[in-house]
Amino acid sequence: MRYVDGPTSEAEIYVAAPPDRVWALVTDIELPARFSNEFCGAEWVGERPGPAVGAAFRGRNQHPAIGAWESTSVVVACEAGRVFGWDVQGYGGVAASWRFELEPEGDGTRLRHRARMGPARSGLTAAIEARPDKEERIIERRLEEWHTNLEATIRGIKQVAETPSS
């Protein structure tokens, strides 16, 4: 697998809560920071606060191998109760795309969380350029990290969504 191929990761879970309850959680850009070991938080920026197509937010991340960084993301999909997606702006374009997809299922919601690398340069590009012979292993390792955080995020959302409010 090569970076140019747009490697992806996905996780899904059943949430025993209606889509409108889950929607409120997936569009809270701060919430995933409670569950991820890399994402540290975000805030809306610009004149169009979200969630809405075209709205932008600045995210903060940290990774033991590369330290802390910030990135700007733009909401590219926002269909209430169904899809919330954003593109991370990289060096010369979209460095990664992320999205939540919600589907009614019985009395609850099937929640999917997806991420795709590239196509523009990202922080991972430097690692690949330094060790082109290890590109597949570098991508595989990064996808494993992404999957861990995708899983943690949807499990956290499930827990919050299924906990009765006081």
Side-chain angles (χ1 to χ4, degrees), residues 8-12 99 101 111-116 143 146-147 150-151 154:
T8 63
S9 186
E10 177 180 329
E12 75 173 67
R99 85 194 272 131
E101 298 172 351
L111 175 62
R112 290 178 191 85
H113 195 13
R114 303 174 193 244
R116 180 185 54 81
L143 286 174
W146 275 15
H147 190 75
L150 290 168
E151 286 279 341
I154 63 171

Side-chain angles (χ1 to χ4, degrees), residues 105-125:
E105 186 174 307
D107 292 335
T109 306
R110 175 67 48 188
L111 175 62
R112 290 178 191 85
H113 195 13
R114 303 174 193 244
R116 180 185 54 81
M117 293 180 186
R121 296 175 56 84
S122 71
L124 195 60
T125 309

